[in-house]
Amino acid sequence: MPKPTKMIIDTDPGVDDAMAILYAAHDTSIELLGLTTVFGNVPVEKATRNALRLCDLADLEIPVAEGAAKPSVFAPLDPAEAARIHGAEGFGPVPPETPQRTPTEEDAADFMASMARRYPGEVTLCAIGPITNVAEALRRHADFVDNIAKIIFMGGAAYVPGNVTPYAEANTYQDPHALAEVLASGVPTLMVGLDVTMQTTGSRDDFAELARRHPDHGGFLERASDAYIGIYEARGLTGCGLHDPAAVIACVKPDLFEITQEPLSVVLDGEQVGRTLPGHGSEAQICRGVDAPKLKKRFFSMFG
Ligand code: BDR
Ligand code: CA
């Protein structure tokens, strides 16, 4: 059996973040080194609480390191914006709970750099929220750029419209400056954007079936995703985009995606702020297509 991929998930849980993290807890091809948290779907204190709660739920004995409370340059958005999508506490209608676990002393950027230093060339960083912590790790730790193996981020919309503006996807919209730094860093980077994540949806029936098979984790995801799926249904879709799970799966099963190597940049101001622009900038990998049935099958069958 090949060695599992050492991975850090940088996250703002978040309904689909919860899907991604619980998935990762079941996927034996992933060795989860820790979670790092960032503002985004909820303020960072709630993101940390929610990440710890997911560790409680999945019996994940891993460090959780809190990160940035605000974007690199911009002022944070009003939390009420994201609350309309993920609920005020992050897991839709599921009420908040005080976790049993506690976060690390070390913050997110330092934790990323220490892990990359401990396992040079081996750690995949999967960023599924605004990419602020990753840019901070690059700024703070000169060795991080060489030690980290790969950055895979959920964000952007290369050849399709955005989801917060006609141009921009939510994660890149919130901190485009951080993404610009990551793209310019020279670290091999793979973008898993709306181009592929909107092709892979999970319906109410899918989550009900998951809940039947795995009452703990599936049941939690079914409850958490109730209103989230409703938002997609109101737009005429049959289910929610599996955004963050797609990024985690791309880390270990890139062959499910059609990937191109292209210059990539991000718009930092004006009407198109947060837009990811292929054709300009540093070389990056972009997921252009996905075998959606296979990705969906892998996600839903991983829970046993
Ligand atoms: C991304 O934005 C957040 O709302 C989700 O958790 C996901 O990371 C989708 O655009
Ligand atoms: Ca997210």
Side-chain angles (χ1 to χ4, degrees):
M1 251 218 345
K3 260 176 49 177
T5 301
K6 289 186 176 19
M7 193 186 298
I8 297 171
I9 299 183
D10 185 53
T11 175
D12 58 339
V15 176
D16 60 324
D17 300 75
M19 295 173 189
I21 291 163
L22 292 179
Y23 166 87
H26 286 272
D27 188 338
T28 53
S29 68
I30 296 173
E31 180 188 349
L32 207 47
L33 298 178
L35 302 178
T36 53
T37 64
V38 64
F39 75 91
N41 294 328
V42 284
V44 72
E45 299 78 16
K46 290 185 181 180
T48 305
R49 177 201 64 195
N50 290 351
L52 291 165
R53 171 132 187 250
L54 292 170
C55 291
D56 287 346
L57 186 64
D59 276 328
L60 279 171
E61 294 298 342
I62 53 169
V64 173
E66 185 163 282
K70 58 182 178 54
S72 309
V73 174
F74 289 158
L77 299 179
D78 181 350
E81 294 282 318
R84 288 192 293 114
I85 315 286
H86 294 267
E89 303 299 332
F91 294 147
V94 177
E97 249 175 52
T98 307
Q100 290 151 23
R101 290 161 169 77
T102 50
T104 54
E105 289 283 312
E106 201 171 36
D107 79 356
D110 286 353
F111 176 78
M112 287 173 181
S114 335
M115 284 296 130
R117 197 173 292 132
R118 185 179 304 173
Y119 306 110
E122 284 190 63
V123 180
T124 296
L125 184 45
C126 185
I128 57 175
I131 203 158
T132 316
N133 291 329
V134 184
E136 181 61 19
L138 287 164
R139 276 178 225 133
R140 239 189 248 172
H141 298 279
D143 61 343
F144 184 62
V145 68
D146 293 322
N147 289 338
I148 193 75
K150 189 160 193 178
I151 296 166
I152 293 179
F153 72 97
M154 191 285 129
Y159 296 97
V160 296
N163 60 2
V164 280
T165 75
Y167 308 102
E169 177 281 332
N171 290 336
T172 56
Y173 181 72
Q174 293 192 71
D175 196 347
H177 298 87
L179 180 59
E181 285 183 64
V182 169
L183 292 174
S185 70
V187 177
T189 300
L190 172 66
M191 170 175 145
V192 185
L194 299 180
D195 303 75
V196 289
T197 67
M198 283 304 295
Q199 289 183 42
T200 328
T201 55
S203 68
R204 280 183 200 285
D205 287 351
D206 292 326
F207 283 98
E209 167 61 15
L210 187 64
R212 194 189 59 71
R213 282 191 284 113
H214 200 303
D216 278 2
H217 300 173
F220 176 86
L221 293 178
E222 184 190 26
R223 288 191 301 281
S225 60
D226 181 50
Y228 188 68
I229 292 177
I231 293 165
Y232 287 85
E233 287 173 339
R235 288 193 233 147
L237 300 169
T238 52
C240 63
L242 299 176
H243 306 291
D244 292 345
V248 170
I249 293 172
C251 298
V252 287
K253 284 293 285 179
D255 50 309
L256 294 182
F257 296 84
E258 180 199 328
I259 296 174
T260 55
Q261 176 94 20
E262 295 171 63
L264 181 65
S265 61
V266 57
V267 178
L268 298 179
D269 50 31
E271 192 194 358
Q272 300 193 6
V273 66
R275 179 179 189 175
T276 43
L277 268 186
H280 309 261
S282 314
E283 289 283 307
Q285 290 188 314
I286 303 177
C287 288
R288 294 278 300 263
V290 58
D291 186 332
K294 276 201 186 145
L295 185 124
K296 185 169 170 176
K297 185 162 178 235
R298 184 172 177 101
F299 174 72
F300 282 104
S301 59
M302 194 55 73
F303 291 77

